Amino acid sequence: SAMEVVLKKIRELSDKDHRDPFMVGDLRVLASRHQAFCQALPRVSPFYAVKCNSSPWVLRVLAALGTGFDCASQVELEQVLGLGVAPSRIIYAHPCKPVSHLQYAARHGVQLLTFDSEEELTKVAQHHPGARLVLRLWTEDSQSLIRLSTKFGASLELCGHLLKSARDLGLAVVGASFHVGSGCQNPHSFAQAIADCRRVFEMGRGVGHDMSLLDIGGGFPGVEGSEPEFEEMARVINAALAQDFPEGTGIEVIAEPGRFYAAPVCVAAVNIIAKKAVLQPGRTRSGCSESGGHRKLLYYLNEGHYGTFRIFLRDHVPRMPIVVKELCSKPALFPCILYGPTCDAFDTFFNKEVQLPELDVGDWLIFPSMGAYSSVMSSTFNGFPPATICYMMGPELRYLKRAQGSELGPG
């Protein structure tokens, strides 16, 4: 497993001065997540959100598994098309596209595009008149950790006007889409959005559009322990589809999962490069609190907010590190703050203290479920490079790729 490889590499680095951060990804996890998604949502075809983890290795495996792809820029389109993925397996799911990116999509046969404004329709009519358009609907996402409705989505009241405008411009609208926001806390947000999309379908058909595609977006959890669980979301979605878009009506349903696929793929390992003990306010140098600790410990790690862990301050999902150190069965725990390596005080892992045992410079911490929005959001701020990543695979993936006509390459 990826965890076993991480521990082996930590042992190899234990006697060296260079203990740089690194990640290990297990590509077999992608296959298991794909199977779980398809079993839980049998009517929904996954179009993986490339922005979540755009590693060529991840994309190759998903292409071999037969997923579609949700792209948001020309670079992402180039990546996916470069793997030999058919344009029909791509949705250009950004409602606000640069003209040059729109022209690229037109030249390369990517027809499925989202929109949420009249201005976007004008651009499409001029630069990609053969597009198959999907109207992105505003969604109630106030209970999601990262709201997207503040930036994207047309209100139900505006949808009728937009559908008529598309018709008058000679554009084909083929469906509706929505996104309940990242870290969705209320599964019934999906049910309400699906019901709203049924009304959009009725509006579209009323003005002459052939409405046949429903895109239920993303927002699926990827980290173990997330609430609500994916299975609960799937039950709500299946029930809503059965009610508003029953089988046999010829409606194709797709989704844009990202974290659900990518998060559990990678495990990250970071090293403590410095340490500081701070006396807690109101406590004497010799006094101890009732909980057994009188110090707050500051650990400075060789990776942080500007590298692999930028997503932590947005996620709000508890992901406590695993300590790689032999400790007594019940070690004393101290309030700790984890800092990254840069000179910026904002470079922290969490927005609060965490409880950890006392550790030393040179000790390692391991963070599971680091495959989503980690490497893609990394920077080299202050001259610290992002963690290196190596991916591993099993023979079943090589066989899968050979069946597609090419090799994945060395594992």
Side-chain angles (χ1 to χ4, degrees), residues 39 47 88 174 239 356 384 402:
Q39 286 179 345
F47 276 55
S88 60
V174 299
L356 289 173
F384 291 97
R402 281 198 297 271

Side-chain angles (χ1 to χ4, degrees), residues 55 59 91 97 106 131 165 205-206 221-222 242 248 269 299 304 323 327 357 369 378:
S55 161
L59 299 183
I91 181 169
K97 297 168 278 294
S165 296
R205 287 167 178 161
Y299 293 125
V323 176
L327 300 166
S369 298
S378 296

Side-chain angles (χ1 to χ4, degrees), residues 349-365:
F349 280 60
F350 307 100
N351 55 6
K352 60 181 180 180
E353 296 174 348
V354 294
Q355 296 291 316
L356 289 173
E358 180 155 13
L359 303 172
D360 298 306
V361 172
D363 286 340
W364 291 86
L365 296 177

Side-chain angles (χ1 to χ4, degrees), residues 39-40 76 115 126 176 237 243-244 312 367 374 377:
Q39 286 179 345
E76 290 185 354
F115 76 101
Q126 183 176 356
I237 292 168
Q243 177 174 322
D244 293 302
F312 268 35
F367 291 84
S374 50
M377 298 180 75

Side-chain angles (χ1 to χ4, degrees), residues 14-209:
S14 61
D15 296 326
K16 299 181 180 180
D17 292 330
H18 291 284
R19 302 182 182 184
D20 296 332
F22 65 92
M23 290 204 295
V24 174
D26 187 350
L27 295 172
R28 295 170 298 181
V29 174
L30 286 172
S32 64
R33 297 300 269 187
H34 179 63
Q35 183 180 27
F37 188 93
C38 294
Q39 286 179 345
L41 294 168
R43 289 188 57 197
V44 183
S45 299
F47 276 55
Y48 172 74
V50 176
K51 60 183 174 289
C52 183
N53 184 328
S54 59
S55 161
W57 297 105
V58 169
L59 299 183
R60 284 175 183 144
V61 170
L62 292 174
L65 289 169
T67 68
F69 293 90
D70 153 24
C71 297
S73 67
Q74 179 174 329
V75 168
E76 290 185 354
L77 291 172
E78 290 172 347
Q79 267 193 291
V80 175
L81 290 169
L83 296 175
V85 174
S88 60
R89 287 169 59 189
I90 298 172
I91 181 169
Y92 189 174
H94 197 313
C96 305
K97 297 168 278 294
V99 167
S100 61
H101 296 205
L102 193 56
Q103 292 170 332
Y104 179 88
R107 289 196 305 270
H108 291 82
V110 177
Q111 293 186 313
L112 210 54
L113 315 176
T114 61
F115 76 101
D116 66 358
S117 69
E118 197 159 10
E119 289 75 11
E120 196 71 10
L121 286 174
T122 302
K123 280 193 300 184
V124 173
Q126 183 176 356
H127 301 288
H128 196 344
R132 300 172 62 237
L133 292 172
V134 179
L135 174 53
R136 176 152 171 176
L137 189 64
W138 180 90
T139 305
E140 168 53 52
D141 62 357
S142 60
Q143 297 185 55
S144 297
L145 298 179
I146 302 176
R147 300 184 60 186
L148 298 176
S149 63
T150 56
K151 188 173 184 179
F152 302 117
S155 66
L156 266 177
E157 293 74 20
L158 184 60
C159 286
H161 172 71
L162 291 175
L163 290 164
K164 290 176 183 176
S165 296
R167 179 199 60 191
D168 294 342
L169 288 167
L171 298 172
V173 180
V174 299
S177 71
F178 63 84
H179 197 301
V180 296
S182 295
C184 176
Q185 302 293 289
N186 181 7
H188 293 282
S189 297
F190 280 98
Q192 182 59 56
I194 289 170
D196 289 344
C197 283
R198 178 173 57 82
R199 294 179 60 186
V200 174
F201 269 58
E202 293 168 356
M203 294 180 200
R205 287 167 178 161
V207 297
H209 293 295

